[in-house]
């Protein structure tokens, strides 16, 4: 008999990648750790191939496991889309989505457009806010789903990780700083995720001289010499001077998809699958 790929095992494989390990994947799937391990071992036996590295310090997956993972996401996406299109009870309702401005510059618009075509009776209402605001909205039940940046060490077991990125202190090359005075800081707004960290680290004094909700706007202000900023690596260019080593190093940030604890629904789960399968591990659709 020819080997077959079990859908539940493929889901477990993806969960291990998304959650960062078998234990967290088990929590995410509401299964025991042994149940998840059994699914993977059975899949390995069926295809006669080792998928998990299982050695301390190694990456989670073998080369074969990584190859299957990439295909598993596409298989699951098509599988779920086919089931939904044939279902006698199509998804209906609404989803309140909160996301940061950085995410809007990714290919998420195309993903949301595809989701709307597949599920025409689900209305997605999107709000663009700062990460701290989206986190508060998720906790309070103001949004059902959030796509945002957090510190990598703050990733929760049920978060779906999309990508990670370094953040750098930058200024214009010809801007001379007076280190006796507070640094002229370029902030996103009053709830600026980066400025909040700079204030809490207590190793540098800042004074906000400009607020702009757009990363492109902050980058433009840096080039103009208006002040210093904390910018994700992809916005840093040759016209800027990176101040790493002279100012406190900001922890790495990670972009995640997080569901609100107060709203679990089939339509929200479907949108999570659509976003993660399209954006994760796909350089052409990258966020960071």
């Amino acid at each position: 008999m020819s080997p077959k790929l079990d859908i539940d095992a493929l889901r477990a494989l993806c969960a291990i990648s998304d959650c960062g390990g078998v234990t967290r994947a088990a929590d995410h799937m509401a299964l025991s750790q042994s149940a998840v391990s059994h699914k993977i071992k059975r899949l390995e036996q069926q295809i006669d191939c080792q998928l998990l590295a299982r050695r301390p310090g190694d990456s989670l997956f073998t080369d074969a496991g990584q190859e299957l993972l990439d295909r598993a996401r596409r298989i699951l996406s098509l599988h779920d889309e086919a089931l939904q299109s044939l279902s006698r009870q199509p998804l209906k309702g609404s989803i309140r989505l909160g996301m940061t401005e950085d995410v809007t510059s990714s290919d998420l618009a195309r993903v949301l457009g595809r989701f709307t075509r597949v599920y025409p009776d689900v209305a997605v209402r999107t709000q663009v806010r700062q990460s701290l605001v989206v986190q508060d909205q998720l906790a309070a039940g103001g949004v059902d789903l959030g796509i945002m940046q957090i510190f990598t060490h703050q990733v929760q077991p049920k978060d779906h990780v999309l990508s990670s990125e370094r953040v750098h202190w930058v200024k214009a090359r010809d801007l001379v700083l007076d280190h006796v005075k507070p640094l002229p800081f370029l902030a996103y707004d009053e709830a600026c995720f980066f400025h909040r960290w700079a204030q809490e680290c207590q190793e540098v004094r800042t004074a906000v001289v400009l607020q702009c909700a757009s990363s492109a706007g902050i980058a433009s202000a840096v080039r103009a010499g208006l002040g210093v900023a904390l910018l994700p690596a992809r916005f840093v260019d040759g016209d800027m001077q990176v101040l790493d080593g002279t100012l406190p190093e900001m922890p790495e940030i990670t972009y995640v998809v997080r569901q609100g604890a107060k709203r679990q629904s089939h339509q929200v789960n479907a949108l999570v699958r659509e976003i993660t399968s399209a954006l994760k591990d796909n350089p052409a659709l990258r966020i960071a």
Side-chain angles (χ1 to χ4, degrees):
M1 181 180 296
S2 300
K4 297 180 181 179
L5 295 174
D6 180 75
I7 290 295
D8 289 339
L10 295 181
R11 289 199 193 283
L13 193 72
C14 292
I16 291 171
S17 174
D18 294 339
C19 300
V22 175
T23 301
R24 289 183 174 183
D27 290 339
H28 176 71
M29 300 179 71
L31 296 173
S32 66
Q33 181 177 343
S34 61
V36 173
S37 296
H38 177 72
K39 289 180 183 293
I40 299 302
K41 288 181 180 178
R42 184 176 178 182
L43 179 59
E44 289 177 326
Q45 292 171 353
Q46 289 175 330
I47 61 177
D48 191 24
C49 187
Q50 184 175 342
L51 302 174
L52 299 185
R54 298 187 179 90
R55 294 178 62 180
D58 285 352
S59 60
L60 283 173
F61 301 95
T62 63
D63 291 344
Q66 186 62 53
E67 181 180 352
L68 179 58
L69 175 66
D70 296 338
R71 297 177 185 274
R73 296 191 187 282
R74 299 198 294 272
I75 291 171
L76 290 174
S77 179
L78 290 171
H79 172 271
D80 294 343
E81 181 180 330
L83 283 181
Q84 183 57 44
S85 66
L86 297 172
S87 172
R88 295 182 179 180
Q89 296 180 333
L91 289 183
K92 297 181 179 180
S94 63
I95 300 173
R96 298 167 299 171
L97 172 65
M99 63 183 184
T100 61
E101 183 270 338
D102 278 4
V103 177
T104 64
S105 61
S106 72
D107 204 50
L108 184 63
R110 187 194 64 79
V111 177
L112 292 177
R114 181 176 182 276
F115 180 84
T116 300
R117 292 191 295 274
V118 175
Y119 305 105
D121 295 324
V122 178
V124 181
R125 298 180 175 86
T126 304
Q127 303 176 26
V128 179
R129 299 287 189 271
Q130 296 297 332
S131 288
L132 295 175
V133 176
V134 175
Q135 290 183 58
D136 289 343
Q137 289 179 322
L138 283 168
V143 295
D144 309 314
L145 190 66
I147 309 175
M148 58 198 177
Q149 52 188 210
I150 60 176
F151 292 126
T152 300
H153 65 266
Q154 294 177 335
V155 173
Q156 299 179 2
K158 293 186 179 181
D159 287 344
H160 298 269
V161 174
L162 297 176
S163 62
S164 297
E165 190 172 18
R166 286 285 308 281
V167 177
H168 302 283
W169 287 96
V170 293
K171 72 176 186 67
R173 293 187 177 277
D174 58 356
L175 175 63
V176 178
L177 298 175
D178 184 346
H179 294 286
V180 176
K181 298 179 180 179
L183 289 175
F185 191 84
L186 309 174
Y188 284 81
D189 63 16
E190 294 181 357
C192 178
F193 178 62
F194 297 155
H195 189 234
R196 181 75 58 86
W197 172 82
Q199 290 177 307
E200 292 177 351
C201 77
Q202 298 181 343
E203 296 180 35
V204 61
R205 293 185 303 144
T206 61
V208 174
V209 296
L210 178 141
Q211 291 183 351
C212 177
S214 164
S215 293
I218 294 289
S220 179
V222 169
R223 297 187 197 99
L226 296 182
V228 300
L230 283 162
L231 271 180
R234 70 185 182 282
F235 294 105
V236 178
D237 59 32
D239 294 330
M240 303 176 187
Q241 179 182 353
V242 177
L243 303 175
D244 292 355
T246 62
L247 291 171
E249 181 180 353
M250 186 175 184
E252 181 185 67
I253 60 172
T254 293
Y255 291 85
V256 300
V257 179
R258 179 179 295 176
Q259 293 180 245
K262 298 184 178 181
R263 177 69 184 274
Q264 300 287 331
S265 67
H266 293 302
Q267 57 263 36
V268 171
N269 291 334
L271 180 54
V272 169
R273 290 195 299 270
E274 192 74 22
I275 292 171
T276 55
S277 64
L279 294 181
K280 185 174 175 59
D281 298 326
N282 189 338
L285 306 177
R286 69 185 181 91
I287 285 180

PDB file of all heavy atoms in Angstrom, residues 24 35 49 62 125-126 134 144 146 174 221 230 270 284:
ATOM      1  N   ARG A  24       4.724  22.986  23.325  1.00  0.00           N
ATOM      2  CA  ARG A  24       3.847  24.133  23.051  1.00  0.00           C
ATOM      3  C   ARG A  24       2.810  23.798  21.984  1.00  0.00           C
ATOM      4  O   ARG A  24       1.675  24.277  22.033  1.00  0.00           O
ATOM      5  CB  ARG A  24       4.690  25.330  22.608  1.00  0.00           C
ATOM      6  CG  ARG A  24       5.510  25.945  23.738  1.00  0.00           C
ATOM      7  CD  ARG A  24       6.261  27.169  23.255  1.00  0.00           C
ATOM      8  NE  ARG A  24       6.943  27.848  24.342  1.00  0.00           N
ATOM      9  CZ  ARG A  24       7.626  28.971  24.215  1.00  0.00           C
ATOM     10  NH1 ARG A  24       7.736  29.532  23.025  1.00  0.00           N
ATOM     11  NH2 ARG A  24       8.219  29.533  25.263  1.00  0.00           N
ATOM     12  N   ALA A  35       0.575  12.530  22.548  1.00  0.00           N
ATOM     13  CA  ALA A  35      -0.309  12.379  21.387  1.00  0.00           C
ATOM     14  C   ALA A  35       0.290  13.062  20.160  1.00  0.00           C
ATOM     15  O   ALA A  35       0.258  12.515  19.049  1.00  0.00           O
ATOM     16  CB  ALA A  35      -1.682  12.965  21.697  1.00  0.00           C
ATOM     17  N   CYS A  49      10.871   8.351   6.839  1.00  0.00           N
ATOM     18  CA  CYS A  49      11.740   9.527   6.800  1.00  0.00           C
ATOM     19  C   CYS A  49      11.675  10.235   8.140  1.00  0.00           C
ATOM     20  O   CYS A  49      10.586  10.421   8.687  1.00  0.00           O
ATOM     21  CB  CYS A  49      11.284  10.467   5.682  1.00  0.00           C
ATOM     22  SG  CYS A  49      12.399  11.844   5.409  1.00  0.00           S
ATOM     23  N   THR A  62      14.587  18.268  10.440  1.00  0.00           N
ATOM     24  CA  THR A  62      15.602  17.818   9.496  1.00  0.00           C
ATOM     25  C   THR A  62      15.344  18.502   8.160  1.00  0.00           C
ATOM     26  O   THR A  62      14.327  19.181   7.976  1.00  0.00           O
ATOM     27  CB  THR A  62      15.527  16.299   9.310  1.00  0.00           C
ATOM     28  OG1 THR A  62      14.242  15.968   8.742  1.00  0.00           O
ATOM     29  CG2 THR A  62      15.698  15.568  10.640  1.00  0.00           C
ATOM     30  N   ARG A 125     -13.333  43.532   9.435  1.00  0.00           N
ATOM     31  CA  ARG A 125     -13.202  44.969   9.725  1.00  0.00           C
ATOM     32  C   ARG A 125     -11.834  45.200  10.355  1.00  0.00           C
ATOM     33  O   ARG A 125     -11.547  44.681  11.432  1.00  0.00           O
ATOM     34  CB  ARG A 125     -14.325  45.433  10.647  1.00  0.00           C
ATOM     35  CG  ARG A 125     -15.720  45.270  10.022  1.00  0.00           C
ATOM     36  CD  ARG A 125     -16.815  45.737  10.959  1.00  0.00           C
ATOM     37  NE  ARG A 125     -18.124  45.691  10.319  1.00  0.00           N
ATOM     38  CZ  ARG A 125     -18.900  44.616  10.281  1.00  0.00           C
ATOM     39  NH1 ARG A 125     -18.488  43.497  10.866  1.00  0.00           N
ATOM     40  NH2 ARG A 125     -20.069  44.631   9.678  1.00  0.00           N
ATOM     41  N   THR A 126     -11.006  45.961   9.682  1.00  0.00           N
ATOM     42  CA  THR A 126      -9.608  46.106  10.073  1.00  0.00           C
ATOM     43  C   THR A 126      -9.330  47.472  10.684  1.00  0.00           C
ATOM     44  O   THR A 126      -9.796  48.494  10.178  1.00  0.00           O
ATOM     45  CB  THR A 126      -8.690  45.907   8.851  1.00  0.00           C
ATOM     46  OG1 THR A 126      -8.959  44.636   8.255  1.00  0.00           O
ATOM     47  CG2 THR A 126      -7.229  45.960   9.257  1.00  0.00           C
ATOM     48  N   VAL A 134      -2.997  47.300  20.044  1.00  0.00           N
ATOM     49  CA  VAL A 134      -3.575  46.036  19.580  1.00  0.00           C
ATOM     50  C   VAL A 134      -3.566  45.004  20.705  1.00  0.00           C
ATOM     51  O   VAL A 134      -4.542  44.267  20.904  1.00  0.00           O
ATOM     52  CB  VAL A 134      -2.821  45.501  18.343  1.00  0.00           C
ATOM     53  CG1 VAL A 134      -3.355  44.121  17.941  1.00  0.00           C
ATOM     54  CG2 VAL A 134      -2.960  46.468  17.180  1.00  0.00           C
ATOM     55  N   ASP A 144     -10.806  40.630  17.579  1.00  0.00           N
ATOM     56  CA  ASP A 144     -10.795  39.166  17.635  1.00  0.00           C
ATOM     57  C   ASP A 144      -9.439  38.585  17.284  1.00  0.00           C
ATOM     58  O   ASP A 144      -9.090  37.483  17.709  1.00  0.00           O
ATOM     59  CB  ASP A 144     -11.842  38.599  16.668  1.00  0.00           C
ATOM     60  CG  ASP A 144     -13.206  39.227  16.860  1.00  0.00           C
ATOM     61  OD1 ASP A 144     -13.639  39.340  18.021  1.00  0.00           O
ATOM     62  OD2 ASP A 144     -13.830  39.624  15.855  1.00  0.00           O
ATOM     63  N   GLY A 146      -5.200  39.786  16.197  1.00  0.00           N
ATOM     64  CA  GLY A 146      -4.201  40.840  16.072  1.00  0.00           C
ATOM     65  C   GLY A 146      -2.972  40.361  15.327  1.00  0.00           C
ATOM     66  O   GLY A 146      -2.535  39.222  15.508  1.00  0.00           O
ATOM     67  N   ASP A 174      24.837  63.474   9.155  1.00  0.00           N
ATOM     68  CA  ASP A 174      25.342  64.808   9.483  1.00  0.00           C
ATOM     69  C   ASP A 174      24.692  65.406  10.728  1.00  0.00           C
ATOM     70  O   ASP A 174      24.932  66.575  11.053  1.00  0.00           O
ATOM     71  CB  ASP A 174      25.161  65.760   8.289  1.00  0.00           C
ATOM     72  CG  ASP A 174      23.705  65.883   7.860  1.00  0.00           C
ATOM     73  OD1 ASP A 174      22.845  65.167   8.440  1.00  0.00           O
ATOM     74  OD2 ASP A 174      23.416  66.683   6.943  1.00  0.00           O
ATOM     75  N   ALA A 221      12.044  61.348   8.250  1.00  0.00           N
ATOM     76  CA  ALA A 221      12.441  62.334   9.249  1.00  0.00           C
ATOM     77  C   ALA A 221      13.875  62.103   9.717  1.00  0.00           C
ATOM     78  O   ALA A 221      14.614  63.047  10.003  1.00  0.00           O
ATOM     79  CB  ALA A 221      11.481  62.286  10.433  1.00  0.00           C
ATOM     80  N   LEU A 230      14.290  54.561  16.583  1.00  0.00           N
ATOM     81  CA  LEU A 230      14.450  53.111  16.584  1.00  0.00           C
ATOM     82  C   LEU A 230      13.666  52.590  15.397  1.00  0.00           C
ATOM     83  O   LEU A 230      12.440  52.766  15.331  1.00  0.00           O
ATOM     84  CB  LEU A 230      13.934  52.513  17.895  1.00  0.00           C
ATOM     85  CG  LEU A 230      14.856  52.669  19.104  1.00  0.00           C
ATOM     86  CD1 LEU A 230      14.090  52.464  20.409  1.00  0.00           C
ATOM     87  CD2 LEU A 230      16.006  51.662  19.019  1.00  0.00           C
ATOM     88  N   ALA A 270     -10.284  30.269  10.522  1.00  0.00           N
ATOM     89  CA  ALA A 270     -10.055  30.168   9.077  1.00  0.00           C
ATOM     90  C   ALA A 270      -9.141  31.293   8.596  1.00  0.00           C
ATOM     91  O   ALA A 270      -8.254  31.070   7.764  1.00  0.00           O
ATOM     92  CB  ALA A 270     -11.391  30.219   8.334  1.00  0.00           C
ATOM     93  N   ALA A 284       8.712  35.832  -0.572  1.00  0.00           N
ATOM     94  CA  ALA A 284       8.027  36.718  -1.498  1.00  0.00           C
ATOM     95  C   ALA A 284       6.907  37.487  -0.813  1.00  0.00           C
ATOM     96  O   ALA A 284       6.460  38.527  -1.289  1.00  0.00           O
ATOM     97  CB  ALA A 284       7.450  35.923  -2.671  1.00  0.00           C
TER      98      ALA A 284
END
